[in-house]
Amino acid sequence: MSETFDEATTLKRRTFVAASTAVAGLPLLNSDRLPTATAAAAPAPADRLSTVRLTVNGEQRTARVDNRTSLLDLLREHLDLPGTKKGCDQGACGACTVLVDDRRVNACLTLAVMHQGARVTTIEGLARGEQLHPLQQAFIDHDGLQCGYCTPGQLMSGVACIAEGHTGSRAEIREWMSGNLCRCGAYTNIVSAIEQTAKEA
C-alpha cells in the first residue's frame, strides 16, 4: 500500500512539474545548457570601454572600465579604495558619499566616465598621514559611530556640510545631513561632532 502511494505521489509531482513548465513555455532545466561562470564574466566589447583619468586623494589614477561602471565601483573594484561603502546602491542611504571637485556626490548614482579629470576625495584621503581630520576626531570624541558602516559617507557629507556653511544650528545640520542614513541611530552624536568641528574651524 505504501509503495503504491509513493509511486502515485511521485507520478503526480512529475506530471505537475512537466505541465507547469509546458504552460509557462519554459524548457526543463538542463545543467548542460546553463551559462558557465566564464560566459557570465565575459569582458565588455572594446567599444563599451573607456579610459578614465582622475585625481583621487591627490594622486593621479587611471583605469580602463566599462562605460556603465559607477564611480563607486571604479573606486572599490578598480582603484582598491574600499572605504567608500556600497549600501543601498540606489542613492537613498548616502553610504557611498564622496567629494567630487569639493561637492558631495552619491558615487553609486554617477558613472565614472562622467568625471574625466575630476578631483575625487574619499574617506582614505581625509586624514593627513597619521593626523586625523578634525571631523574624524570629533566623531570619536562624540561617539558618532556604532557599527561604522555609514561612517565614511557621514564624514564626507559632514565635511561638505561644514564647507558649504550649513551649520548655523543643529536643525540646519540635520536638514543638510538628511541624505545620510544611520541604521544604528547615532544622529544626535553625529550632529554634535559636526557642530563642534564647525565652531573650531
Side-chain angles (χ1 to χ4, degrees):
M1 181 74 177
S2 176
E3 287 181 11
T4 306
F5 177 79
D6 289 344
E7 288 174 7
T9 304
T10 303
L11 182 58
K12 286 179 185 175
R13 286 180 183 156
R14 287 182 185 158
T15 306
F16 172 77
V17 171
S20 300
T21 308
V23 169
L26 300 172
L28 289 171
L29 287 178
N30 183 338
S31 60
D32 295 335
R33 295 182 182 178
L34 292 175
T36 63
T38 306
D47 63 348
R48 286 212 323 245
L49 296 174
S50 293
T51 300
V52 180
R53 293 179 179 84
L54 301 166
T55 301
V56 182
N57 300 327
E59 181 183 345
Q60 293 286 334
R61 302 295 299 269
T62 302
R64 188 154 175 81
V65 297
D66 188 305
N67 294 332
R68 299 166 296 177
T69 301
S70 69
L71 178 58
L72 175 60
D73 286 338
L74 171 70
L75 294 170
R76 289 180 59 83
E77 309 299 332
H78 297 272
L79 301 184
D80 195 27
L81 293 168
T84 304
K85 302 304 181 190
K86 181 174 283 196
C88 66
D89 214 19
Q90 297 176 354
C93 72
C96 66
T97 304
V98 296
L99 302 182
V100 178
D101 294 328
D102 298 323
R103 293 180 63 238
R104 49 182 148 176
V105 169
N106 286 336
C108 73
L109 288 184
T110 186
L111 298 174
V113 294
M114 295 170 62
H115 300 288
Q116 192 72 255
R119 289 179 295 107
V120 178
T121 305
T122 71
I123 190 67
E124 289 91 347
L126 208 52
R128 292 289 174 263
E130 295 297 314
Q131 183 180 356
L132 295 177
H133 185 280
L135 186 57
Q136 289 175 305
Q137 185 60 55
F139 263 61
I140 295 170
D141 296 342
H142 290 276
D143 198 20
L145 62 155
Q146 289 187 38
C147 80
Y149 196 84
C150 75
T151 305
Q154 297 278 2
L155 282 163
M156 300 312 296
S157 196
V159 167
C161 184
I162 294 167
E164 293 160 5
H166 298 303
T167 57
S169 67
R170 292 180 68 86
E172 185 179 12
I173 293 171
R174 283 195 297 272
E175 176 66 25
W176 286 90
M177 289 294 293
S178 61
N180 291 76
L181 303 182
C182 173
R183 307 295 184 189
C184 301
Y187 295 114
T188 300
N189 298 348
I190 290 169
V191 171
S192 295
I194 294 171
E195 187 178 43
Q196 173 189 306
T197 305
K199 286 177 180 176
E200 294 175 352

